[in-house]
Amino acid sequence: MTPRDERAVLEVTASSPTASGQQQQQGDTNTSNNDDDISRVYLIRHGDRFDYANPSWLVSARKNGVLVTDPPLSDLGHRQARETADYLSLITKKRMDAVPSSTSGDAVDSSPSPEGREGDQWQQNQHNNHGVSKILASPYLRVIQTACPTSAALNLPISIELGLSEAHATPGSVLPSPRDRFAYFPQIDTSYESLLHVEPTPGYKCRKTGQPCEAFAGRYTQRMGEFARRVEETYRGRTIVCFSHAASVALVAAFLKCTMRELKFAPCGVYELRRRGDGPWEMVTDGESNPHVTENAATTYPWGFGEKHFEEKKDGDTVPGDYFGSSEGIGLDYFVDE
């Protein structure tokens, strides 16, 4: 581990801002009943994109029949993913070690599962997995590639979660299935069933692929709200790692019940969210920056929502359905109003 990683962990474990800006002490060393039911979500954006670093890739992708909305990571993106895995391995171990062994908070799910069977390559163990129950990842290539080093570091398979799909997601068979991906990514658990499926919005098509897609940003924002609810129900009292996209700052807002106005997501940024029992979620670390990585590129930068992402298209525009939400009361403060 580099000195930079160690400094980042020390900063996190001292104190960090919640959604309201207040400071909360970290460590999870309290042994009260509330600590027996700690839910924790690490949300991570993918690393630097190959198509942003190499714009000519789009031409080559179309020429070779490659899906242009599914680019791989750049060389820098792969390095960022490895550094993020090192950071997560360190911080999750520190969290686990801080919880007395007599408590169940942050423990790995002990129920029978396909990846925990005898003889399987994935042997779930609280210490090997650093207390993490699941790794969920968007079905897009760049996200799967970002998740791979963490899968190796935590000895956990990657579960492809459609609910974490990119904005403008195209449902159906446009993207390779988990079984198709498995040929190149044996880390994938093909038995996993997604918590949420993406539905196309009638009349909306992806401007890059021409395929029916989910309306952005309105329907995407609503999906993040529903996904947050399903995570709360499914993974109560457990720790999960989710790999997704920049727009999933909406998922952060859904958990925290806060505005999206100030939220941004850096490449391989890490949002750590924590909840005690049925209490409110709090932000432990902010993913707007990525101090655990040693290099960034100007082409993949911290991204966040603006008012324009919820504006309706005006009559006469050539690409209908590009932005969406305001006519149905969906905007930057959607989760505050909720």
Side-chain angles (χ1 to χ4, degrees), residues 2 35 50-51 56 72 104 106 125 169 184-185 235 239 245 290 296 302 312 318-319 322:
T2 66
D35 274 334
F50 188 90
D51 58 331
S56 62
S104 58
D106 285 3
N125 177 280
Y184 306 98
F185 298 98
Y235 296 106
T239 294
H245 305 264
N290 53 9
N296 286 292
E312 312 296 349
T318 58
V319 186
D322 194 19

Side-chain angles (χ1 to χ4, degrees), residues 158-319:
I158 298 170
S159 298
I160 300 300
E161 173 54 59
L162 301 179
L164 290 170
S165 294
E166 172 68 295
H168 301 288
T170 301
S173 59
V174 177
L175 282 172
S177 69
R179 289 187 179 275
D180 294 332
R181 297 286 200 197
F182 180 81
Y184 306 98
F185 298 98
Q187 302 93 334
I188 291 175
D189 173 14
T190 58
S191 69
Y192 175 78
E193 294 291 336
S194 283
L195 295 178
L196 192 64
H197 290 259
V198 182
E199 297 295 333
T201 305
Y204 284 74
K205 292 185 177 181
C206 176
R207 56 182 174 177
K208 292 183 179 180
T209 66
Q211 298 286 337
C213 73
E214 176 189 65
F216 182 78
R219 291 290 179 258
Y220 176 86
T221 298
Q222 290 178 319
R223 167 160 52 102
M224 291 296 99
E226 179 59 26
F227 185 69
R229 285 187 284 274
R230 297 196 185 192
V231 166
E232 288 176 344
E233 294 170 357
T234 306
Y235 296 106
R236 179 189 171 98
R238 294 156 67 186
T239 294
I240 63 171
V241 178
C242 298
F243 287 88
S244 190
H245 305 264
S248 62
V249 290
L251 181 58
V252 175
F255 279 120
L256 298 178
K257 305 297 183 188
C258 71
T259 181
M260 290 181 270
R261 293 180 185 277
E262 304 299 326
L263 296 176
K264 293 186 183 298
F265 217 162
C268 279
V270 179
Y271 275 99
E272 181 183 347
L273 307 177
R274 181 182 63 185
R275 186 189 196 195
R276 295 177 183 273
D278 292 323
W281 286 88
E282 60 184 10
M283 185 189 299
V284 181
T285 60
D286 190 333
E288 181 175 353
S289 61
N290 53 9
H292 56 277
V293 307
T294 55
E295 182 182 357
N296 286 292
T299 49
T300 304
Y301 51 85
W303 185 94
F305 283 94
E307 295 284 0
K308 70 174 186 178
H309 295 116
F310 297 93
E311 295 171 356
E312 312 296 349
K313 273 294 188 179
K314 297 178 182 179
D315 292 340
D317 284 347
T318 58
V319 186

Side-chain angles (χ1 to χ4, degrees), residues 113-124 155-158 182 186-191:
S113 60
E115 64 269 24
R117 293 178 302 209
E118 184 177 358
D120 202 303
Q121 72 179 99
W122 308 105
Q123 297 296 322
Q124 288 202 357
N155 191 38
L156 285 171
I158 298 170
F182 180 81
Q187 302 93 334
I188 291 175
D189 173 14
T190 58
S191 69

Side-chain angles (χ1 to χ4, degrees), residues 34-45:
N34 287 339
D35 274 334
D36 290 342
D37 192 17
I38 297 175
S39 304
R40 195 184 301 276
V41 174
Y42 294 93
L43 179 63
I44 300 144
R45 182 187 173 188

